[in-house]
Structures are given as structure tokens and as C-alpha cells.
Amino acid sequence: MLFHVRMDVHLPPDLDEAVRADLIAREKAYSQRLQRAGCWPHLWRIAGEYANYSVFDVGSIDELHDLLAGLPLFPYLTVKVTALATHPSKVVAG
């Protein structure tokens, strides 16, 4: 199942720099592990914002929720999830 996910990051401005650096390093490692596993095939930064658009390829909405909840930045995220379906006008290879 494919899901389009927008994530907006809202780190507190007074967050300790060491804590911030640790969170970001753990977030990068976790997200890259999911990308390498194939369940996070697309990740784009939104220009001018501390936000991203992503596409997840997972077996269920529950699996997606578990992956998102595992993000170290999850407590600081606003997340919007949209389920995706194949469009009937899509050109299919073949």
C-alpha cells in the first residue's frame, strides 16, 4: 500500500543543542534504514520549510503508523497521511 505523507517538524527553539544534534542523527539513521529496506522509497525536502513529502510503501496503515511513531522526531512532528491508489490514466510500462 502506498501512502503520501507530509511531515512538518516543530523543534522547540530552546531545545538543548546536544539533544537537537542527537535527535537529528538518530532520525537520519532510522530514516535511511527504512529507505534501504524499501518501505520509504521517496523522500523530498519542501523548499523553504522544515518539512518533507514522503511516499511509504507498506503492508497496512498500522505498519505505517508504527514506522512513523518510531521516528525520533515523532513527538515534534505534525503528520498528514493520504492513501494513494492507481490512477486510471497512468501510463503502464509494457
Side-chain angles (χ1 to χ4, degrees), residues 7-84:
M7 291 181 254
D8 292 85
V9 183
H10 308 284
L11 291 175
D14 60 347
L15 187 64
D16 178 79
E17 282 302 316
V19 172
R20 176 186 294 265
D22 177 64
L23 273 170
I24 291 170
R26 289 188 295 118
E27 182 83 3
K28 183 176 182 177
Y30 181 80
S31 69
Q32 288 181 346
R33 181 168 49 88
L34 295 178
Q35 290 171 66
R36 287 184 185 102
C39 49
W40 194 338
H42 300 285
L43 171 61
W44 295 278
R45 173 180 292 174
I46 300 172
E49 300 181 40
Y50 195 178
N52 73 74
Y53 285 128
S54 295
V55 173
F56 285 83
D57 188 357
V58 294
S60 70
I61 191 69
D62 292 320
E63 181 182 352
L64 176 64
H65 177 77
D66 290 343
L67 293 177
L68 294 173
L71 290 164
L73 288 177
F74 186 73
Y76 306 101
L77 297 177
T78 300
V79 178
K80 182 177 180 191
V81 175
T82 304
L84 300 174

